[in-house]
Amino acid sequence: MDQGLAAVMGALMGALASGGGSYISGIYADKSQKKQARREVYLVFLSELVAVEAQIAKLREVMFYGSRGETDADAIEPGLENLGVAVSRLRSLEIGVRLEGPDSVSSLANNATRHISWLEPRMRFVYSSRLQEGDLFEMRKTIERDCSRLEELVEEIRQEAPRHL
């Protein structure tokens, strides 16, 4: 083979190998960036979700199982206000989970956010109204059932999210 042709062929092969390596590195870097973005979005959403779940549990404890008195009102009213703010923040964070996907995680995040969005006004209603004992008992059962389902959803998200990282 002619030395000039061999040099050209060698340069061509080197360029192809270098280009191919760069392409593969680019794909790997893109996947790595996507995983990192998902990890960050999931982490922030789950942290907020767990904090809201704890707020709900604390309010539920004071509203249903604590003594009725003025100190309860001092704890419940700000707690409900803080919960409202946290629910709004959680809805915003859920949008990030939806964008990052996949559907198996984003649908669970949506269900959890919806559950919390239902719980918050129910808790406000129970606190602000003067329900009869039977009606109060039914609302408490409903809220307890919703809280149990929320716990299940949080656990499902904790199990599903790492599968996509």
Side-chain angles (χ1 to χ4, degrees):
M1 185 182 284
D2 182 85
Q3 281 186 343
L5 182 59
V8 169
M9 293 287 284
L12 182 61
M13 292 303 284
L16 286 174
S18 176
S22 295
Y23 177 74
I24 290 170
S25 294
I27 289 173
Y28 178 75
D30 187 46
K31 284 183 180 181
S32 180
Q33 286 174 339
K34 180 132 178 98
K35 279 184 176 183
Q36 184 61 31
R38 266 190 187 166
R39 184 175 287 116
E40 289 171 10
V41 168
Y42 289 176
L43 177 65
V44 171
F45 178 78
L46 265 170
S47 296
E48 188 68 25
L49 181 61
V50 168
V52 169
E53 183 183 25
Q55 280 181 292
I56 289 170
K58 184 177 178 181
L59 276 170
R60 187 179 77 211
E61 184 69 28
V62 172
M63 288 174 69
F64 296 134
Y65 305 107
S67 63
R68 298 254 180 226
E70 228 168 280
T71 56
D72 291 345
D74 292 343
I76 293 172
E77 288 175 18
L80 287 170
E81 290 305 313
N82 290 339
L83 182 59
V85 170
V87 169
S88 295
R89 205 170 41 242
L90 192 63
R91 285 185 190 133
S92 296
L93 293 171
E94 183 213 339
I95 292 169
V97 174
R98 283 187 186 184
L99 290 173
E100 289 299 324
D103 287 341
S104 62
V105 176
S106 62
S107 65
L108 288 170
N110 179 263
N111 287 341
T113 304
R114 270 189 302 137
H115 250 74
I116 290 170
S117 295
W118 295 335
L119 265 166
E120 188 240 347
R122 285 181 179 150
M123 293 180 96
R124 283 184 187 277
F125 174 74
V126 167
Y127 175 69
S128 65
S129 64
R130 304 227 183 267
L131 295 173
Q132 298 298 321
E133 193 63 35
D135 294 333
L136 180 61
F137 179 75
E138 287 301 317
M139 283 301 292
R140 185 171 67 189
K141 274 187 3 186
T142 300
I143 289 172
E144 292 291 345
R145 189 173 46 246
D146 286 347
C147 288
S148 292
R149 178 62 184 137
L150 178 60
E151 288 174 13
E152 292 170 4
L153 286 167
V154 170
E155 188 56 35
E156 287 177 41
I157 293 169
R158 281 186 174 149
Q159 291 176 5
E160 185 66 25
R163 293 182 187 153
H164 303 283
L165 298 178

